[in-house]
Amino acid sequence: MIPAAFDYKRAGSAEEALSLLGEYGDDAKLLAGGHSLIPLMKYRLASPAVLIDIGKVSDLSYVNDAGDHLAIGALTRHRDIEINELIGSQMPLLAAATRNVGDPQVRHRGTIGGAVAHGDPASDIPAAMLALRATMVIAGPSGEREVAADDFFSGFLETDLGDTEMLKEIRIAKVPDATYSFQKFNRRAQDWAIVGAAILVNNGSSGVGLVNMDSKPIRAAAVEAALNSGANAADAAAQAAEGVEPPADLNATVDYRQHLARVLTRRGLEEAGR
Amino acid sequence: MQVSINVNGSSQAHDVEARTLLVHYLRESCGLTGTNVGCDSSSCGACTIHLNGEAVKSCTVFAAQADGDEVTTIEGLADGDTLHPMQQAFHECHALQCGYCTPGMVMAAVSLLDEEPNADEATVREGLEGNLCRCTGYHNIVKAVLSQSGGGQ
Ligand SMILES: Cc1cc2nc3c(=O)[nH]c(=O)nc-3n(C[C@H](O)[C@H](O)[C@H](O)COP(=O)(O)OP(=O)(O)OC[C@H]3O[C@@H](n4cnc5c(N)ncnc54)[C@H](O)[C@@H]3O)c2cc1C
Ligand code: FES
Ligand code: FES
């Protein structure tokens, strides 16, 4: 399968990427790891006229200790997140979610920024972003702005990112004392989740993000509220399908997804010691 | 566009369309047909090569993205007539039947042990989850990889 023809531009820096985006606007797409965009282009579900390759902007690949939070560069590859010691000690939920992405080859190429910017409700990473209350740092022609994960994911493969903006950094508050679990139900190794749950149990501020349970990445707000008011695992997990609208597809009906969300949330809460 | 890649230690420069996938660059421009195309959709791992030392699926990378990089294909593993230890292990453990998945499987296995030199059986099975084999049932593949792992004896 060969994608439609396009013009290839390589950006050497974030500034260069932004100026190319300014030049080509919505004819252009940023290319990070390419592991969501290239498959779409091969199936001809996307055919951008211009690709701006940011894959080699290496100064956007980092995990920095920034006091109360970690700052993660958008171009940090999944593999580098998976084995990063700061992430392992300060927010192991993100490492666990990342280990569930595809297979080693996919994790060598795909980036956290690409997974977030793609806004796929079936992806594991946005669920972890929601559970961890991540903040997205977006750069555009008129400077930088910050958006909470809750406001960032706006629809199916839609985010708050504008045509001339790029995701630069992700900031996540450290939660070294929280317990966590990442639950993913699929049928074959390496597959995407039929349903998944990213669970962070933290005194008074628990977070639960769901995979593939709505048209956009979404939090299980009812479960969080129950947890924060002291409910046990079974009672909190019973709320997992409240207020969300899961899709039906070849893999699962709506009812089955609702059932999976409750079961996986309960398992996750139990694993997290709730 | 002009794409220059160091493939198996030799510099290659070819004029290709921007949409050329790395696997086609390797097979058609460089004439290295050891890397196979299976699913053509990032699932089977037949096209696995090393890009700057790490296993990646070359059907899901544009050649242009690898401009200036180093690639190793299955042809680059052996030292003259001496097989790479992982190739030798596949040979000895009968880890192939039709051989279609083998180049990708070997490249994935070498990358896995670079990262996890003491991989145990579970780590090997999980580490090869991106590679499908329709013949062997995996048993002998896992055996071959474990024979090269510090954690496999
Ligand atoms: C076989 C396979 C299996 C997979 N399995 C899983 C899985 O189980 N779970 C999972 O979560 N994911 C899975 N993925 C997807 C993987 O996580 C991708 O790496 C990720 O979704 C996209 O990251 P990328 O860097 O490859 O982005 P790209 O494909 O390069 O980009 C994706 C989109 O985001 C935009 N974009 C990228 N970077 C930025 C930026 N910095 N700012 C603004 N926009 C940007 C691009 O323009 C594009 O629209 C799988 C992929 C494959 C090929
Ligand atoms: S041909 Fe590339 S993964 Fe199957
Ligand atoms: S040996 Fe035939 S596909 Fe693996």
Side-chain angles (χ1 to χ4, degrees), chain A residues 29-30 32-37 78 102 110-111 123-124 167 184 192, chain B residues 42:
Chain A
K29 275 248 161 226
L30 294 174
H35 271 48
S36 290
L37 187 52
H78 297 313
T111 65
S123 167
D124 303 309
L167 178 61
K184 177 168 176 170
W192 296 77
Chain B
S42 4

Side-chain angles (χ1 to χ4, degrees), chain A residues 116-119 136-139 145-167 216-217:
Chain A
V116 170
H118 197 50
M136 312 305 164
V137 181
I138 297 171
R145 62 190 180 100
E146 293 181 15
V147 181
D150 262 346
D151 302 321
F152 182 80
F153 301 109
S154 49
F156 183 70
L157 307 186
E158 274 177 26
T159 69
D160 192 46
L161 280 166
D163 285 339
T164 54
E165 291 183 315
M166 74 181 281
L167 178 61
K216 62 176 188 172

Side-chain angles (χ1 to χ4, degrees), chain A residues 1-8 10 31-35 38-39 41-44 51 53 56 77 79-80 99 101-109 189-191, chain B residues 1 17-19 21 24 39-45 48 51 54-57 59-62 64-67 69 104 108 111 115-116 126-131:
Chain A
M1 294 173 291
I2 312 290
F6 57 85
D7 275 340
Y8 174 88
R10 186 182 281 186
L31 178 68
H35 271 48
I38 296 176
M41 290 174 66
K42 289 173 78 173
Y43 291 121
R44 305 245 173 158
L51 278 190
D53 187 0
K56 286 207 156 54
R77 297 196 190 271
R79 168 72 186 167
D80 296 325
R99 265 194 298 281
V101 170
D103 52 50
Q105 289 98 315
V106 171
R107 297 196 294 276
H108 285 147
R109 286 301 288 170
Q190 181 233 37
D191 260 357
Chain B
M1 62 183 291
E17 275 191 84
R19 59 178 165 169
L21 296 162
H24 295 135
C39 65
D40 200 8
S41 57
S42 4
S43 302
C44 74
T48 302
L51 182 56
E54 291 177 325
V56 308
K57 292 172 171 175
C59 72
T60 312
V61 178
F62 290 119
Q65 291 175 281
D67 186 35
D69 288 346
S111 173
E115 289 172 358
E116 306 267 1
E126 236 177 69
L128 294 179
E129 67 184 328
N131 292 73

